[in-house]
Amino acid sequence: MNQNIIDQLAERVINETNSAISCLTLYLGHKLDLFNSLRKEGPITTEELSKKTKYSERYLREWLECMTVNGYIDYDPITKRFSISEEHARVLCDRDSIAYTIPFVYWVPTLSLAMDKLLEAFRTGEGVPYSTYGREVLFAQGEGNRPMFINDIARWISSMPDIESKLRSQGGHIIDVGCGDGWASISLAESFPLIKIDAIDVDLSSINNASKNIEKAGLSDRISVHNVPIEEATLKEKYDLVMTFESVHDMAYPIEALRRMKDLVSANGAVLVSDVKMKDKLEEKNDFAGRLYYNFSVLLCLPQSMEYPNSAATGAAMTPSSFRKYANAAGFSKVDILPIEHIMWQFYRLTK
């Protein structure tokens, strides 16, 4: 018996508990718009912040002190004023920054909503409905991925020079499968002014959010939305680009979905799939992406996919070899990994 190993794990559990709890106090700060208030009004005292926000001074004082001791904001003991640095504001306030990761803390309260049904699912083998995770599951996913789309999607397309050239010079027709809140479609339409996009998702709430975001961006004339599973879509168009981001591993019927994507792509078009960046062997999956996606898989991705009869039950730990099997079974002759560096996603180009 190695006491050091015991002590290290015990300390790790306590530290990870504090990290999870920190997500909840960060959630409060973001939900109440306190980080933006600090940035706009600070340096500021608790009394001044209370008058500005109309929130309870006593609660604000406790939250500000909590954020201070955890290193998220700054405190001047002489003036007794709190503030936020520009560097931390980039992460906690700047919605368009690639560093804006505060929406990810929403996953902690969101995933906790499903615990009772998930415990039962372990006993029954049944699935957990997506609706169980509450309204903010869409915010956590949509806002969490939005900075990547608005900052990087044009660069991702540039990894396929033939497609980029056509979209930029001639335009074209694109379908965004599993569009979520629509940020990939919006960002792509803004990057390539000549294209038109069909955005499709099985979740009605996501489609409603996408419609609002598309209208606000002034792109309703170029982006159409469709609430239907891709394998049931009756679209007649042949697309220059079929794309889907972080969705195949969630699909109950990935082979059927990929087969439909193959049917929809034009002869000179491309199918772009981005999904989890996972090693093939379990003993190699203990990197950041492996640890993160296994947590998501247990808590969300596998349970929601098992809600459907005869689901493939893939989960978020989908390996490259599993994806290749799906793509080959769907009729694709070639699966290329594109040279795009990303800490969590792998990018594939599929050829008929």
Side-chain angles (χ1 to χ4, degrees):
M1 187 74 69
N2 189 322
Q3 188 62 42
N4 286 335
I5 294 176
I6 296 172
D7 293 342
Q8 288 170 7
L9 181 56
E11 182 179 358
R12 176 183 171 186
V13 170
I14 292 171
N15 286 334
E16 290 185 350
T17 301
N18 185 52
S19 294
I21 295 172
S22 291
C23 286
L24 298 177
T25 51
L26 286 166
Y27 168 88
L28 286 173
H30 187 269
K31 190 75 173 175
L32 295 171
D33 206 33
L34 290 173
F35 295 116
N36 281 320
S37 296
L38 272 175
R39 188 184 200 185
K40 180 181 178 182
E41 308 291 348
I44 194 170
T45 66
T46 57
E47 294 83 0
E48 292 167 343
L49 186 60
S50 178
K51 289 178 182 178
K52 292 282 185 181
T53 62
K54 309 302 182 186
Y55 297 144
S56 162
E57 187 277 335
R58 183 64 189 92
Y59 276 105
L60 283 175
R61 188 187 343 147
E62 205 74 2
W63 180 84
L64 288 164
E65 291 176 0
C66 173
M67 292 294 99
T68 298
V69 300
N70 279 288
Y72 297 114
I73 65 173
D74 299 320
Y75 173 67
D76 186 333
I78 297 175
T79 64
K80 300 188 184 304
R81 291 177 180 273
F82 297 87
S83 61
I84 185 170
S85 71
E86 277 305 304
E87 291 81 4
H88 284 202
R90 188 67 59 84
V91 175
L92 303 174
C93 303
D94 284 354
R95 187 167 176 252
D96 290 343
S97 170
I98 194 66
Y100 182 72
T101 50
I102 186 66
F104 285 98
V105 304
Y106 280 67
W107 282 115
V108 175
T110 294
L111 293 172
S112 69
L113 295 175
M115 287 299 104
D116 286 346
K117 288 195 174 182
L118 189 56
L119 288 167
E120 185 62 23
F122 266 75
R123 300 183 180 100
T124 65
E126 297 176 353
V128 177
Y130 194 62
S131 60
T132 304
Y133 297 88
R135 296 172 59 187
E136 288 186 335
V137 67
L138 300 181
F139 180 89
Q141 190 160 38
E143 286 295 296
N145 288 339
R146 179 181 178 275
M148 291 188 291
F149 290 134
I150 67 171
N151 285 284
D152 291 337
I153 197 164
R155 177 175 63 85
W156 299 343
I157 299 301
S158 70
S159 68
M160 302 180 293
D162 56 324
I163 301 300
E164 180 191 33
S165 177
K166 181 177 182 181
L167 296 182
R168 201 168 294 286
S169 62
Q170 304 172 37
H173 211 159
I174 295 170
I175 183 167
D176 180 8
V177 180
C179 66
D181 284 359
W183 295 118
S185 292
I186 291 168
S187 302
L188 199 61
E190 290 175 340
S191 297
F192 297 90
L194 300 179
I195 65 173
K196 289 193 174 183
I197 301 174
D198 284 312
I200 182 171
D201 202 292
V202 68
D203 180 62
L204 180 58
S205 295
S206 295
I207 284 295
N208 289 337
N209 286 349
S211 297
K212 293 174 185 176
N213 293 330
I214 291 164
E215 183 177 2
K216 187 175 180 180
L219 293 168
S220 297
D221 59 330
R222 295 174 52 210
I223 305 176
S224 303
V225 298
H226 309 269
N227 178 214
V228 64
I230 182 59
E231 57 270 24
E232 297 177 12
T234 57
L235 298 165
K236 305 297 184 182
E237 185 75 33
K238 288 293 184 180
Y239 294 89
D240 302 290
L241 176 63
V242 178
M243 63 182 192
T244 185
F245 298 101
E246 206 181 27
S247 66
V248 171
H249 74 264
D250 282 325
M251 293 175 175
Y253 314 109
I255 295 173
E256 291 83 349
L258 288 166
R259 185 178 293 126
R260 183 67 179 125
M261 292 183 212
K262 182 177 72 70
D263 292 340
L264 289 170
V265 70
S266 66
N268 296 317
V271 175
L272 172 64
V273 176
S274 175
D275 218 297
V276 297
K277 191 174 188 177
M278 189 68 64
K279 303 288 195 335
D280 266 313
K281 296 180 180 179
L282 179 59
E283 60 269 25
E284 297 175 346
K285 292 181 181 179
N286 59 348
D287 56 2
F288 174 77
R291 296 192 301 272
L292 178 71
Y293 278 120
Y294 259 116
N295 278 328
F296 270 112
S297 195
V298 170
L299 298 174
L300 172 65
C301 301
L302 178 62
Q304 66 85 27
S305 72
M306 290 183 69
E307 181 71 4
Y308 298 87
N310 302 312
S311 169
T314 306
M318 182 179 71
T319 63
S321 61
S322 294
F323 176 74
R324 287 178 186 276
K325 288 178 182 177
Y326 288 159
N328 291 335
F332 288 101
S333 62
K334 191 177 181 184
V335 180
D336 292 314
I337 295 178
L338 294 171
I340 299 172
E341 290 297 323
H342 197 286
I343 189 172
M344 294 188 295
W345 289 1
Q346 190 91 273
F347 293 79
Y348 303 92
R349 178 172 179 166
L350 308 185
T351 303
K352 282 187 173 184

